[in-house]
Amino acid sequence: MRHALLAGTVALIASPMAAMAGGYVEPAAPAPAVVPVAPAPVGYDWSGFYGGVQLEYGDVQVDDAAGASAGEGTGALYGVFGGYRYDFGDFVIGGELDLNLADIDIDDAAGANIGSLDAVHRLGVEAGWDAGPALIYGTVGVAQGYATLSGVERNDTGYFYGAGVDYLLTDQIVIGAEVLQHEFDDFDGSTLDVSATTFGINAAFRF
């Protein structure tokens, strides 16, 4: 009887231990946390030489010595340009040469033709803000104008100023737009003052 009782007691104690030994599953280690990696910043550098082509719309005003309107006209200018820029980080400076032919007839108030603007060349400096893929700048410089006035071919040196924006499509391809004001006082001794406002679009390749 005592042997039976002892065997039953041992079996009773051993049963849960065996169940625990066979049924225990060690919990899996937690998966490592995924730490997001910030993308590397994209760098933009406007330094270097560039060259391209441009197309402009021009509005020309001619005034006499008294300041009264002697004629006006609108038309196209087109040409090539090239320059160099240096990027200091947030600030960019540079220089540019533009060579443009023009096709703008100038008529007086009665509609009679008094001449034409034939070409405008420019040499200027630029200063602007590096906004990443965009460059916002101002420009000022010397302009050389070629015109036919009252049947006489003339040329004169004046000045220009304006502003523009360029955008990097790729590291080498740039598109842009700018507005410029040109002033020529007493154009080549003609007693006529010539001013021209131009709006242009352009495309350039960076070397």
Side-chain angles (χ1 to χ4, degrees):
M1 180 68 179
R2 284 183 299 179
H3 291 294
L5 181 61
L6 179 61
T9 302
V10 172
L12 184 64
I13 295 172
S15 293
M17 292 180 65
M20 290 177 63
Y24 175 74
V25 177
E26 182 179 357
V34 178
V35 179
V37 178
V42 178
Y44 296 95
D45 187 355
W46 288 89
S47 298
F49 290 96
Y50 61 92
V53 295
Q54 59 194 7
L55 176 64
E56 300 178 349
Y57 172 82
D59 185 353
V60 178
Q61 178 68 44
V62 179
D63 297 332
D64 61 23
S69 177
E72 58 185 19
T74 59
L77 300 91
Y78 47 91
V80 297
F81 64 93
Y84 179 82
R85 289 169 173 155
Y86 190 82
D87 194 334
F88 290 91
D90 293 332
F91 186 67
V92 179
I93 62 172
E96 183 174 296
L97 173 66
D98 299 9
L99 304 174
N100 299 283
L101 297 178
D103 185 17
I104 302 178
D105 291 330
I106 303 170
D107 300 331
D108 63 17
N113 181 265
I114 64 169
S116 62
L117 180 64
D118 305 318
V120 177
H121 306 324
R122 299 183 290 256
L123 178 62
V125 294
E126 297 178 351
W129 174 50
D130 180 350
L135 174 65
I136 303 167
Y137 64 88
T139 182
V140 63
V142 177
Q144 187 72 21
Y146 295 82
T148 301
L149 299 172
S150 302
V152 179
E153 293 184 359
R154 301 176 181 270
N155 67 86
D156 195 32
T157 301
Y159 63 93
F160 76 93
Y161 58 90
V165 58
D166 281 351
Y167 189 84
L168 286 168
L169 287 181
T170 71
D171 188 51
Q172 291 183 302
I173 304 299
V174 183
I175 59 172
E178 64 182 3
V179 177
L180 302 175
Q181 181 65 32
H182 308 71
E183 299 290 346
F184 302 92
D185 296 330
D186 187 18
F187 198 97
D188 197 16
S190 65
T191 73
L192 297 174
D193 296 335
V194 178
S195 63
T197 304
T198 61
F199 170 76
I201 56 175
N202 55 73
F205 181 85
R206 301 176 67 218
F207 301 97

